[in-house]
Amino acid sequence: MDLQFIEPELREGRDKIERAARRQLPTLVRDEDLHGILHSHTTASDGTETLEAMAEATRKRGFDYFGVADHSQSAHYAGGLTLQEIAEQHREADRLNKRYGGKFRVLKGIEADILADGSLDYPAHVLKQFDFVVASVHSRFKLSKKEQTDRIIEAIANPLTTIIGHITGRQLLRRPGYELDVDKVLRACAKYGVAVEINAHPWRLDLDWRWHQKALDYGCIFSINPDAHSIRELDHMHWGVEMARKGGVPRDRVLNAMGLTDVLAHLSKRKSARNGGNRHSPAKSPRAA
C-alpha cells in the first residue's frame, strides 16, 4: 500500500490511515506560513506594552502586520476602550503606519464583547471604523445552552464581525467552557464567512482541535491568534499552529496565512459589504495566498 506520510500531529487513531491510503491528507499549516498577528492587547486596555512596542516586536519576529484588538467598553475589569481612547489609538496606528511606509502595517481592530442579546459592544458607526472585529463572550457564562448558542450566532450573523474569539470560553485547569452547541456555531461561521479563532494562549487553546475537522468540512476558515497581553506572549502563536496541525488545518484555510496585500483586500471587501448594510448577508471565505 502506497501510504501518504502521516504527520505526527495527526496520529490520533481516527481516519488518517484510510485518508493517507487515498492520498487525501492536507499539507498542514506551519509557523512560517503565518504572515501576521491578530488579536493582541496593549496598555490601552489590559496589556503590559504600548501599541508601538507590540508592533515593533511583531515586525522584528518577521511578520508583515500586527492587528491590535484591545477590549471594548463593557470590559471595565480590563480597561475597555472609550470612544476617545479608540480615536487616540487610531491616530497612533496612523502615525506608525506612516513611519513603516507600507513595509509593515498596524491593523486597527477591537475585541468587542458579545452582549447577552448577541449585539456587539459598540454601535455600528463605531465598529465600522475598525479594520477587523473580534467578537468574544466575556460574561453571562451561565446562560442555557440554547441562549448561549443563539447569542453567539447572532453576533456571527452581524456583518461587522470578522473573527469569533475563543468560542467555548474555556480556560484549561481553571474553568470549563459554557454550555454551547459548537456544531451550530461552526455552521454559522461558515455561512457568514466569519473566521473561527484558534486562540493560542496556553490557558485557552480554543477552539479545541477535536472540532477542527468538522469546521473544515463545513467550509470554515480559521485565525490563529496569540491573545497576547505582552511581547513575550506573541510567541504563543506557535502553540496555535500546533493545535491547528493536530486538527488537520491546511495553510489555505487560515486568515492570517494571507500576506499583507491579500489580507488588506479581504478586510476591505468585508468592510465594503458590511457598510452596505445587509445585516445577514453571507460572505465568502478567503483563500490564503
Side-chain angles (χ1 to χ4, degrees), residues 214-253:
K214 180 76 75 173
L216 290 169
D217 291 343
Y218 289 152
C220 293
I221 59 169
F222 294 90
S223 181
I224 299 174
N225 299 333
D227 202 353
H229 290 69
S230 67
I231 288 174
R232 181 177 62 85
E233 289 183 354
L234 292 170
D235 296 326
H236 288 337
M237 289 290 281
H238 172 71
W239 303 114
V241 171
E242 287 295 328
M243 288 300 97
R245 289 177 62 84
K246 195 170 179 64
V249 177
R251 172 180 180 268
D252 68 354
R253 298 289 284 275

Side-chain angles (χ1 to χ4, degrees), residues 39-49 69-72 75-81 89 111 138 204 227-230 233:
H39 189 177
S40 288
H41 300 269
T42 73
T43 50
S45 63
D46 59 347
T48 63
E49 304 287 345
D70 277 309
H71 286 284
S72 60
H76 304 296
Y77 60 90
L81 272 60
Q89 186 173 83
E111 185 178 16
H138 290 109
R204 293 193 183 272
D227 202 353
H229 290 69
S230 67
E233 289 183 354

Side-chain angles (χ1 to χ4, degrees), residues 154-195:
E154 182 71 11
I156 291 167
N158 190 321
L160 300 168
T161 300
T162 316
I163 301 167
I164 190 75
H166 43 72
I167 286 181
T168 72
R170 76 178 187 182
Q171 287 193 5
L172 298 171
L173 304 180
R174 292 186 167 195
R175 70 178 186 224
Y178 33 73
E179 289 293 311
L180 187 69
D181 188 331
V182 177
D183 191 86
K184 276 190 175 180
V185 169
L186 294 179
R187 287 178 183 270
C189 286
K191 179 179 180 179
Y192 294 107
V194 170

Side-chain angles (χ1 to χ4, degrees), residues 80-130:
L81 272 60
T82 64
L83 299 185
Q84 180 179 343
E85 289 168 332
I86 290 171
E88 291 171 355
Q89 186 173 83
H90 286 189
R91 284 194 294 269
E92 175 68 0
D94 289 339
R95 182 186 71 81
L96 291 169
N97 286 334
K98 184 176 180 180
R99 188 177 83 189
Y100 290 131
K103 296 180 180 178
F104 181 84
R105 181 79 169 230
V106 175
L107 299 178
K108 303 168 185 174
I110 193 75
E111 185 178 16
D113 271 27
I114 300 173
L115 305 181
D117 65 355
S119 60
L120 300 185
D121 185 26
Y122 291 111
H125 74 272
V126 174
L127 291 172
K128 287 177 181 179
Q129 299 173 28
F130 296 98

